[in-house]
Amino acid sequence: MEHDGISTAKVTVRVNGSSQSAAIDTRTSLLELIRQHVGLTGTKRGCNQGACGACTVLIDDQRVLSCLTLAVQADGREVTTIEGIGDTTQLHRLQSAFIDHDGFQCGYCTAGQICSGVALASEAAAGVPSVVTDDLHADEVDLSLAEIRERMSGNLCRCGAHNGIIAAISEVYGS
Amino acid sequence: MNMVQRATEALNRTLPDRAVDPLSTARRVVGQAVSRLDGPSKVTGGATFTADIDQPGLAYASMVPSRVASGRIRHIDVTRAANAPGVIDVITHHNAPAMDTPVLMTLTAKGCAFTDVAPLQDDVVRWNGQAVAVVVAESQECADSAARLVDVVYDAAPARTSFRGLLSEAVFPADVLGEPSEVSRGDVEDTLSQAAFVVDEVYTTPPHHHMAIELHATMAQWSPGDKLHVWDSTQALGRTRHSIAHAVGVPEENVTVTCRAVGGGFGNKTVWDHQLLCVAAARVTGRPVRLVLRRQDVFRMTGGRAPTWQRVALGAAPDGHLQALVHDSVTGIVHENSPEQVSVPARHLYASDTYRIGQKKVVLDVVPNASMRAPGDSVGSFALESAIDELAGHLGIDPIELRSRNEPAVDPTEGTRFSKRHLMEAYRRGAERFGWPDRNRVPGARRDGRWLVGHGTASAFYPYIRMPGGKARIRITADGHAVVTAAANDMGMGTETVQVQHAAERLGLPLDRVSFEFGDSTLPDSPIAAGSAQTASLVITVAQAAEELKKVLLRRAPRHSALHGLKPADVVFRDGGLYRVSDPAQGVSFETLVGEVRHVDAVGSSPMLPLEFMKYSMHGYGAHFCEVRVDATTGETRVSRWVACIDAGRIINPKTAASQIRGAVIMGIGSALMEEGLVDSRAGRTVTASAADYHMPVHADVCDIDVSFLDIPDPLTPMGVHGVGEIGIVGVAAAIANAVHNATGVRVRDLPITLDKIIDGGAAR
Ligand code: FES
Ligand code: FES
């Protein structure tokens, strides 16, 4: 479709369980679809270059960088953002652990860290190895501190909340 | 220092000291490891950052960066951009509204800009990456796409962009943060030439970038009557308002600045060109406009830490007694900016018979340098604390023992007494936690498989600063709650949490009956969050407001009550009310005192200039210890253990304070091992302009960091506190360099300590 010289497309995405449709500029990233069109601003833009992890969300339970995903690629898929992980009346246990371990300072990278943390737990449970995994054929990977640190290294934090983040993930999912 | 300053100092030394804050030792709420009050909103994505705020009719801006470092715009053609889909307007120096100069950041002026040149006012290009046009469009996609269609032809002029190539042109700046640019005593070079043990080396550090994860964001909206509302990710709400009002030419009271949450600042979330351009774009288009920097804009349009060249020369007697201390330095800056104060630690850390400590500047055509976490002190301590370690090695003395033998009795360059100084206690406690006696003692001697293992230590240091000015209001509501309000700033330090703890302690209330409202310039003005000074600066205004509140409440005491006719000195805040000092059983609750009205309130302001620093030497100290493992083949360096023991006065919240120290240590690990802003000296262009090219520590690079505080109040500061935001980075790079030397026998004096430098040094085999 073309609208005022801009190529547009209609996308329908389930976000946190509710169906969302929008006619969008085809250049729109999933990140901007979520923030601008759906109006959920918990997912953050830290670089728009796939280098910081702040925009991490889940598509069909797998983590993706929403700044590097075009919204049209998510058409028909199930997207989970930080708002779908838990809310202030019912925090997810990883969210509570982040508060207990002071796993953030400014909180800007936090949505991405938590989405990554939730997804890495299912990756390890499915036996997906990382570069520090010894047994590449195990059905399930134990989440040692080294495993968690490695698997979280795509999520930058400049406030330096690393210790608290890893402690929180380890408490909830660690071996 | 001029004559007026000298006279003021002399007078000030005769003044009595401030009374010790009675809350310095209170422990009911202050000193407790309270979890962040904004935790639930931050972990659920509910906290509102600037770019999250929408407005009906919002338009989006994108800036066009210059491609040359110096010269003029010969021709700028906006036709293609203006005709692109969705574009509302394109602003260049031809049609930009007139703007006055931005107000520079100084301790006393109210501005917070790092350049005094307003954007788009002429055809002159001052650095590579400076904005030469702004595109405003109906969507961010349209704005970004059209920004690439602005055609610019430059007349490039030769530019000064190579710091190392221009070192010979270094000159003394007028001053270094109000202090003389060089201080000296005795004939230091002569003493050096006769000393039994000498270290005389050059240390260098590259540009660093703050790299806060939140991209700088601004939204501006004009309304009738020349009223302007700016939402901005700023760490200096009041100064941002002042700077914008001054540049735009409207009265300050017409401007409101709002900022509830900032996604990291570290000295960089101040006023740059983009706020002024966003305000200009809103003016030109008559629309609310949002401008979020792209990541590459953050690197090229906002400045970082300046590059440094430093010579440290130490001369000592065989027992380690320092006879000569030279710290000569040069930093590369733009003409209007203050130099990185790299010479500050050497002015206060060691007693030496003779010394020369100073700094020069080289003026460059680059993006203006800004303050970055412990500006000067962090990279200055790399040189000084590496040299001390080198001297300890030559002498065969434990580096902690060497420091202890050169502890000064009074401030070594100013002669003032210390308000408190527990550096050696921090070393003693830190050494115990680290297991320093079990360290590797002979460089290169300890190996664990492919890893060479080494240990290092260095001093942390940071001045105590309290910003002048500022106000706070306390409101007591009819149900006996206290609401503290101040403009204030929070970039992640935990401002709300510690101020609620402070006010709860001060007012005798439980935590859940106190709240802190901040983040808007319509609230009582607060100083900038910088210089690790916000906590002390806010505490003193809240304490003053509490004193005022006593008067207001006493006036409301009923005739028959136990408080009737008493003076503020006769009462204390306790258990949700005011009680007699002389008879603690006699008192009246806040609910009763507030009575029928909805609330009562009182405002306190910062009582005076922070004259205490002139009379005393007031600094925080600390000791860093680390273990590194260096791959014997590749030179890859991993930091495997860290202990930091910090002497930063009274700690209000050990949980959030420890996080600040950890964050600073991690930023220091980055500066030691990987962070390096690279400028192409032909084009003057920052080439490491993305989060992928500018390497900083990720989870896999960060070990558990053990943080402890001495927690000894400074008798001269509000509630005994010092700042904790910056001290933790000072000494980190040196501790790592010292540990790398201990592991490998290779001394790297040029940051960052990358694999090639270790291999070239001959470590790897
Ligand atoms: S915003 Fe997507 S990775 Fe940084
Ligand atoms: S908490 Fe600030 S960037 Fe991670």
Side-chain angles (χ1 to χ4, degrees):
Chain A
M1 281 178 284
E2 178 98 359
H3 183 72
D4 289 344
I6 299 167
S7 145
T8 62
K10 180 160 180 264
V11 294
T12 303
V13 182
R14 283 182 74 79
V15 181
N16 303 329
S18 96
S19 179
Q20 305 276 347
S21 292
I24 53 160
D25 186 327
T26 48
R27 295 170 294 190
T28 308
S29 64
L30 175 60
L31 172 63
E32 293 311 318
L33 177 80
I34 293 166
R35 289 179 54 85
Q36 288 285 119
H37 299 270
V38 182
L40 295 176
T41 53
T43 308
K44 301 299 183 207
R45 169 156 41 127
C47 66
N48 228 21
Q49 297 171 324
C52 77
C55 64
T56 305
V57 299
L58 313 183
I59 295 185
D60 299 335
D61 294 330
Q62 295 204 329
R63 51 181 165 166
V64 298
L65 298 173
S66 63
C67 73
L68 287 192
T69 308
L70 286 170
V72 292
Q73 290 175 276
D75 192 27
R77 316 273 296 269
E78 178 83 40
V79 174
T80 307
T81 68
I82 187 69
E83 291 89 349
I85 303 277
D87 63 32
T88 50
T89 60
Q90 201 169 7
L91 293 175
H92 184 280
R93 58 199 175 116
L94 185 57
Q95 290 172 320
S96 304
F98 263 63
I99 297 175
D100 295 343
H101 291 280
D102 214 25
F104 57 94
Q105 291 184 40
C106 75
Y108 196 82
C109 70
T110 312
Q113 305 275 1
I114 291 175
C115 286
S116 251
V118 168
L120 82 77
S122 44
E123 287 159 23
V128 179
S130 82
V131 72
V132 299
T133 309
D134 290 329
D135 181 359
L136 298 183
H137 304 289
D139 291 337
E140 194 174 326
V141 181
D142 264 359
L143 286 174
S144 65
L145 288 176
E147 278 284 359
I148 298 173
R149 286 190 170 121
E150 172 61 32
R151 288 164 189 264
M152 287 300 293
S153 285
N155 287 85
L156 302 182
C157 174
R158 190 52 156 172
C159 295
H162 303 76
N163 282 182
I165 293 167
I166 300 302
I169 296 174
S170 179
E171 180 186 292
V172 176
Y173 300 119
S175 53
Chain B
M1 205 179 337
N2 62 31
M3 271 177 46
V4 178
Q5 277 173 315
R6 275 183 207 284
T8 316
E9 287 204 10
L11 180 68
N12 181 48
R13 278 175 204 187
T14 65
L15 293 174
D17 293 341
R18 281 163 37 80
V20 174
D21 187 337
L23 249 60
S24 294
T25 50
R27 291 224 157 260
R28 186 176 54 85
V29 197
V30 164
Q32 304 303 318
V34 175
S35 289
R36 288 169 199 271
L37 301 177
D38 57 358
S41 76
K42 293 258 167 98
V43 301
T44 55
T48 306
F49 294 85
T50 302
D52 301 338
I53 303 168
D54 210 350
Q55 280 295 318
L58 186 63
Y60 303 79
S62 189
M63 294 186 287
V64 180
S66 72
R67 294 267 157 195
V68 300
S70 177
R72 287 180 182 276
I73 297 167
R74 186 193 307 165
H75 185 65
I76 185 160
D77 182 355
V78 303
T79 318
R80 289 198 302 145
N83 290 332
V87 171
I88 301 165
D89 212 336
V90 183
I91 304 165
T92 69
H93 66 279
H94 292 302
N95 61 339
M99 277 186 259
D100 207 335
T101 56
V103 187
L104 286 176
M105 167 91 85
T106 64
L107 198 59
T108 43
K110 284 179 71 191
C112 63
F114 289 96
T115 170
D116 56 7
V117 181
L120 300 190
Q121 298 301 296
D122 56 28
D123 60 356
V124 179
V125 178
R126 292 173 175 83
W127 74 85
N128 194 320
Q130 184 184 19
V132 295
V134 183
V135 176
V136 190
E138 297 293 348
S139 73
Q140 195 66 57
E141 289 79 10
C142 288
D144 289 344
S145 159
R148 287 191 282 268
L149 304 176
V150 174
D151 298 304
V152 194
V153 180
Y154 299 95
D155 285 324
R160 300 163 57 89
T161 57
S162 168
F163 170 63
R164 292 195 188 182
L166 292 164
L167 279 173
S168 61
E169 297 181 20
V171 293
F172 282 113
D175 64 279
V176 176
L177 296 184
E179 299 293 324
S181 48
E182 185 172 274
V183 293
S184 63
R185 179 166 74 201
D187 189 337
V188 70
E189 295 288 356
D190 188 54
T191 312
L192 197 60
S193 69
Q194 294 178 27
F197 289 85
V198 173
V199 167
D200 190 348
E201 299 289 352
V202 168
Y203 304 83
T204 46
T205 67
H208 291 145
H209 296 277
H210 304 73
M211 243 309 294
I213 305 296
E214 180 197 26
L215 301 162
H216 300 56
T218 303
M219 181 168 72
Q221 181 164 35
W222 288 91
S223 53
D226 253 4
K227 297 275 196 298
L228 172 65
H229 197 150
V230 179
W231 293 260
D232 187 48
S233 42
T234 174
Q235 61 188 83
L237 207 93
R239 286 179 182 235
T240 296
R241 175 180 182 231
H242 178 80
S243 304
I244 291 174
H246 182 266
V248 178
V250 295
E252 207 168 324
E253 52 279 12
N254 284 20
V255 181
T256 303
V257 178
T258 301
C259 178
R260 195 63 168 74
V262 181
F266 318 114
N268 186 233
K269 293 274 172 66
T270 53
V271 165
W272 297 97
D273 287 356
H274 67 274
Q275 288 105 330
L276 304 180
L277 292 175
C278 185
V279 168
R283 179 74 116 183
V284 168
T285 60
R287 297 267 295 265
V289 174
R290 180 194 290 163
L291 200 170
V292 181
L293 265 61
R294 300 171 305 165
R295 181 48 72 185
Q296 60 267 39
D297 298 337
V298 176
F299 282 92
R300 297 189 179 124
M301 294 184 180
T302 78
R305 196 191 292 291
T308 77
W309 175 98
Q310 305 176 58
R311 173 194 172 209
V312 178
L314 305 172
D319 65 356
H321 173 84
L322 271 182
Q323 297 161 323
L325 187 167
V326 175
H327 193 167
D328 293 332
S329 61
V330 184
T331 69
I333 64 174
V334 298
H335 76 91
E336 63 269 43
N337 259 3
S338 57
E340 284 267 344
Q341 55 267 40
V342 292
S343 64
V344 171
R347 297 176 190 224
H348 306 287
L349 275 174
Y350 299 103
S352 175
D353 299 344
T354 65
Y355 57 77
R356 185 182 68 235
I357 301 164
Q359 55 186 99
K360 294 182 174 178
K361 64 174 183 177
V362 157
V363 174
L364 299 174
D365 298 317
V366 294
V367 59
N369 57 297
S371 303
M372 176 168 161
R373 204 170 205 161
D377 300 295
S378 58
V379 281
S381 72
F382 164 64
L384 179 65
E385 293 294 285
S386 292
I388 289 285
D389 197 73
E390 295 195 51
L391 180 63
H394 292 340
L395 289 160
I397 297 177
D398 177 322
I400 301 176
E401 176 60 24
L402 177 61
R403 289 181 172 89
S404 145
R405 290 182 192 176
N406 291 290
E407 264 291 277
V410 293
D411 190 284
T413 54
E414 293 177 354
T416 43
R417 281 185 290 150
F418 297 113
S419 66
K420 62 129 196 79
R421 179 170 169 125
H422 307 291
L423 175 61
M424 295 322 297
E425 177 61 12
Y427 268 110
R428 198 190 60 70
R429 287 256 296 267
E432 203 174 289
R433 292 178 83 90
F434 186 77
W436 184 246
D438 301 328
R439 74 189 181 282
N440 175 44
R441 284 166 196 266
V442 180
R446 193 172 294 182
R447 195 162 172 154
D448 175 13
R450 65 189 176 105
W451 300 103
L452 296 163
V453 182
H455 303 105
T457 188
S459 300
F461 162 90
Y462 195 75
Y464 166 77
I465 300 171
R466 175 164 70 81
M467 297 285 172
K471 287 188 168 70
R473 171 180 289 120
I474 302 175
R475 193 164 74 224
I476 301 290
T477 58
D479 59 356
H481 282 65
V483 182
V484 181
T485 54
N489 309 277
D490 185 21
M491 306 93 80
M493 307 86 81
T495 309
E496 176 186 8
T497 311
V498 299
Q499 291 305 327
V500 165
Q501 283 181 270
H502 166 233
E505 190 81 66
R506 181 86 52 193
L507 299 172
L509 285 168
L511 270 185
D512 59 5
R513 277 173 65 186
V514 181
S515 57
F516 183 63
E517 287 175 0
F518 70 103
D520 195 283
S521 66
T522 54
L523 302 174
D525 189 28
S526 307
I528 181 174
S532 297
Q534 180 169 256
T535 300
S537 308
L538 285 177
V539 160
I540 202 156
T541 57
V542 173
Q544 288 295 319
E547 281 310 302
E548 288 302 312
L549 182 68
K550 275 185 187 168
K551 294 181 199 158
V552 174
L553 290 173
L554 283 173
R555 280 202 291 274
R556 300 185 60 84
R559 276 200 165 275
H560 57 273
S561 82
L563 301 182
H564 186 70
L566 296 186
K567 302 217 156 31
D570 304 330
V571 293
V572 289
F573 288 112
R574 185 161 57 73
D575 297 334
L578 270 183
Y579 287 81
R580 285 183 103 125
V581 177
S582 59
D583 181 357
Q586 300 283 318
V588 181
S589 72
F590 288 145
E591 288 94 323
T592 310
L593 289 171
V594 175
E596 302 297 297
V597 294
R598 274 205 331 202
H599 57 78
V600 296
D601 58 7
V603 176
S605 34
S606 181
M608 56 178 179
L609 282 171
L611 295 174
E612 61 267 27
F613 332 142
M614 294 190 195
K615 188 170 175 185
Y616 286 91
S617 174
M618 300 180 71
H619 301 93
Y621 303 92
H624 288 297
F625 294 85
C626 70
E627 177 183 90
V628 300
R629 301 164 84 80
V630 182
D631 187 299
T633 309
T634 66
E636 175 189 359
T637 300
R638 316 288 305 168
V639 176
S640 48
R641 282 202 298 132
W642 202 281
V643 168
C645 183
I646 305 291
D647 165 30
R650 181 75 197 288
I651 299 302
I652 297 181
N653 184 330
K655 189 171 188 169
T656 55
S659 289
Q660 290 217 66
I661 300 296
R662 286 194 183 94
V665 168
I666 293 164
M667 201 177 272
I669 292 174
S671 74
L673 296 178
M674 59 197 90
E675 292 186 33
E676 182 171 27
L678 290 171
V679 177
D680 176 344
S681 59
R682 295 161 305 178
R685 191 165 180 81
T686 295
V687 292
T688 44
S690 80
D693 295 306
Y694 185 77
H695 295 170
M696 39 186 237
V698 300
H699 286 290
D701 299 315
V702 179
C703 62
D704 274 336
I705 295 162
D706 177 86
V707 176
S708 54
F709 294 102
L710 296 184
D711 202 16
I712 304 170
D714 184 326
L716 293 182
T717 68
M719 224 167 44
V721 303
H722 277 222
V724 292
E726 296 169 86
I727 186 169
I729 193 174
V730 182
V732 171
I736 292 175
N738 298 343
V740 167
H741 175 261
N742 181 256
T744 64
V746 178
R747 176 62 66 173
V748 180
R749 302 186 185 90
D750 174 46
L751 292 184
I753 304 168
T754 43
L755 290 62
D756 51 321
K757 294 173 192 169
I758 294 175
I759 294 170
D760 285 353
R765 292 172 277 271

